[in-house]
Amino acid sequence: MHAVRNVRLCTKDCLCLYVCPTGATDTEDGQIDAEKCISGCRACVDACPSHAISLVPDEYPPQQEKTDAVKKALFALSKSKAEQEKVAAGIADSSDDPIVRQLARAISKSNRVMAEDLLREAGYMLPQSQNVKSFLQSLLDTPQPNDFPIEVVKKLMEKI
Amino acid sequence: MKKYICSICGYVYDEAAGIPEEGISPGTKWEELSDDWVCPMCGAPKTVFEEEESDVNAAPEKEVGADRNTEEVRKLSFAEMGALCSNLSKGCEKQYRAEEADLFNRLSEYFGNKSGITEHKGFEDLSELIQQDLNSGYSTANDSALNNGDRGALRALVWGEKVTKILKTVLMRYEKNQNALLEDTNVHVCEICGFVYIGNEAPEVCPVCKVPNMKILRVQRR
């Protein structure tokens, strides 16, 4: 469990700098230095008057099982939302009218958010979950077009 | 004095309070609101409002069939893989894993490009797809989630169904008013649930998912 800072909540009262035993909280980019942070120490978390610092686990529990029936129903909807995102993007792309483009882009965005949420609940919530690992592995195991960014997938498999 | 609830976004019109900032004084009866009055939150027409009391005992039990089936999850389309990866990118961002977030984003962009856009369709085609989701997609999924006690899925479905109804209303309003609907105002999208709001400033909290409006973003006109 190492500490992370939400810079948007940080009010720069600097108490985290006073209490950190390793200097991990004092960095040029506002992020807490994970290398220096002592796992589970939480001195900065408790000292922060703005609740801008929290602990993020290094390991996560297995995710909730999803039934096939629920997955199937969610996938049917996410497919529809993904299609609507494309239709709206097509309307935005083909129109010269800035208002039509604005409305179509809003609808496209809205559908992307809904599709993401449905897929999250269909078993792809946690990036480190087994489902996501299997998904990435399947991308490596099946033939892909020449332009497929295979090095991106390999890097993700390593880091996640 | 009665209260009336918008069945789409949950906005409550309270006769006792009125809406003074819109020139509707406290004590204005529901019947006294003009027929073309619309929900100030989502723009739905007056006809979709329900009186508060009449709503309490509603929600009839739905007939739920045995929908547990073992059919394999079918392969995802490029468009869905794009959304799957942008979702995972957001997940990494929340864990302050900037590098992984960027990698998932690159995958999402790749799948998005592969998927492309759907050409030669209009708002009326969108309305049709929206109606399909409302007619069958959500009821099937809601039954399934209820049946399996999956409250996480139900949460996504409750939000999504509300947003879908709001999109339907937005398109109906656009069909009626055309560009006048948006000419002198702004369009906002909630980046958590997809709620679309037409108005000068986004509401303080999202009426669908209740996130504060720092996460409801304005869509630029360009």
Side-chain angles (χ1 to χ4, degrees), chain B residues 71-206:
Chain B
E71 200 186 77
E72 284 292 319
V73 174
R74 93 279 173 273
K75 281 192 96 174
L76 298 170
S77 67
F78 282 133
E80 283 170 283
M81 291 206 273
L84 179 58
C85 290
S86 61
N87 154 49
L88 294 170
S89 174
K90 287 180 181 175
C92 292
E93 218 179 290
K94 283 172 195 157
Q95 295 178 22
Y96 296 80
R97 291 170 171 258
E99 196 182 346
E100 290 91 328
D102 179 57
L103 291 168
F104 272 122
N105 243 343
R106 281 167 62 189
L107 269 189
S108 174
E109 273 165 27
Y110 170 81
F111 290 126
N113 287 334
K114 281 278 160 200
S115 164
I117 55 177
T118 305
E119 289 176 307
H120 313 301
K121 299 265 186 184
F123 285 130
E124 64 285 357
D125 300 295
L126 266 182
S127 295
E128 232 171 80
L129 293 168
I130 286 172
Q131 200 54 52
Q132 278 174 24
D133 289 349
L134 293 175
N135 288 348
S136 62
Y138 279 106
S139 52
T140 308
N142 280 321
D143 284 351
S144 189
L146 266 176
N147 225 9
N148 288 284
D150 191 332
R151 296 184 64 180
L154 266 182
R155 193 271 314 148
L157 292 165
V158 167
W159 290 3
E161 191 167 8
K162 284 184 181 174
V163 171
T164 306
K165 285 180 181 169
I166 288 165
L167 289 183
K168 177 184 164 177
T169 313
V170 165
L171 287 172
M172 279 165 53
R173 290 163 73 196
Y174 185 75
E175 196 186 344
K176 191 172 153 209
N177 300 310
Q178 297 294 309
N179 282 2
L181 178 68
L182 301 170
E183 220 138 36
D184 301 318
T185 188
N186 295 308
V187 185
H188 313 256
V189 180
C190 173
E191 59 175 8
I192 302 303
C193 69
F195 165 66
V196 170
Y197 179 73
I198 296 172
N200 290 336
E201 297 290 335
E204 230 161 82
V205 294
C206 174

Side-chain angles (χ1 to χ4, degrees), chain B residues 30-38 46:
Chain B
W30 180 248
E31 299 75 37
E32 292 164 1
L33 293 176
S34 73
D35 286 340
D36 56 8
W37 179 85
V38 295
K46 210 178 154 186

Side-chain angles (χ1 to χ4, degrees), chain A residues 5 66 68 75 78 80-81 83-84 86 97 101-102 105 110 112 116-117 120-121 124 128 159, chain B residues 69 73 80 86-87 90 95 99 115 118 133 138 150 152 155 164 179 194 219-222:
Chain A
R5 178 189 291 121
K66 292 285 175 175
D68 289 342
F75 280 135
S78 70
S80 173
K81 301 305 181 194
E83 177 57 26
Q84 288 172 59
K86 284 172 68 177
D97 184 335
R101 286 207 300 268
Q102 182 187 25
R105 287 210 324 276
S110 170
R112 165 62 66 107
E116 286 176 347
D117 197 15
R120 187 153 45 228
E121 287 297 340
Y124 296 94
Q128 292 92 337
K159 298 196 73 86
Chain B
N69 73 68
V73 174
E80 283 170 283
S86 61
N87 154 49
K90 287 180 181 175
Q95 295 178 22
E99 196 182 346
S115 164
T118 305
D133 289 349
Y138 279 106
D150 191 332
R155 193 271 314 148
T164 306
N179 282 2
V219 180
Q220 299 302 319
R221 183 177 301 165
R222 50 185 160 81

